[in-house]
Amino acid sequence: SSGINAEYGESRNAVVENMNLKLTQREEEVSNLKGMATDFENTNELLNAEIERLKKHNASLESKGTKKTDEIASFKMIIDALNEQIASSKSQCEDEECPSAVRLKEQHMKKVVEMEENLKESQ
């Protein structure tokens, strides 16, 4: 009967060892999973930080875009005003009595008179 007890004890020890081995494996798996979870959390934090950075960058670009749009609108207004001035100057100067046309004529006549006087002096 002592042989049966010894065999039973040995097989019980083998079962316990096997269970201990499986437990150790499970503990390693849990440890690996915990490590992976930590890695995921760290990656997640980095990604969230990057998302926040991109949001700020986007907001900054949007505000620059708005400024540019405003600048363009004001340039367009200036250009329109200048075009109006040019158009009105043209229509005025098509009239012979426009001040700048009169001034040009006067300057031209002055030059003609000067040249005639120079010509007389040189003879």
Side-chain angles (χ1 to χ4, degrees):
S1 89
S2 69
I4 293 171
N5 279 344
E7 272 180 44
Y8 174 73
E10 279 175 28
S11 71
R12 233 188 92 202
N13 283 346
V15 168
V16 167
E17 270 181 38
N18 192 23
M19 285 175 78
N20 279 338
L21 184 66
K22 282 184 179 171
L23 186 62
T24 303
Q25 287 173 343
R26 290 287 173 273
E27 282 171 353
E28 280 175 14
E29 282 173 19
V30 167
S31 174
N32 286 340
L33 287 172
K34 280 182 181 171
M36 284 170 72
T38 302
D39 288 348
F40 279 130
E41 280 172 16
N42 292 340
T43 302
N44 200 33
E45 275 179 35
L46 290 172
L47 288 173
N48 283 333
E50 182 63 4
I51 286 168
E52 285 309 306
R53 191 189 69 74
L54 288 172
K55 279 183 186 171
K56 283 180 189 161
H57 185 59
N58 196 35
S60 145
L61 287 177
E62 279 176 7
S63 97
K64 281 181 188 164
T66 303
K67 276 187 198 154
K68 285 282 174 234
T69 305
D70 291 348
E71 273 179 29
I72 289 167
S74 84
F75 282 143
K76 278 185 179 164
M77 283 170 62
I78 291 168
I79 289 166
D80 288 345
L82 289 173
N83 282 333
E84 275 178 35
Q85 280 183 353
I86 290 166
S88 83
S89 293
K90 268 187 184 169
S91 71
Q92 274 181 7
C93 285
E94 280 162 8
D95 169 18
E96 293 258 323
E97 298 310 307
C98 122
S100 52
V102 171
R103 223 180 6 259
L104 281 173
K105 277 185 199 161
E106 286 171 357
Q107 286 174 353
H108 180 68
M109 291 310 291
K110 254 190 198 169
K111 282 272 180 229
V112 169
V113 170
E114 275 178 36
M115 307 243 317
E116 283 174 354
E117 284 174 1
N118 287 343
L119 193 63
K120 280 179 191 167
E121 282 173 18
S122 67
Q123 285 176 349

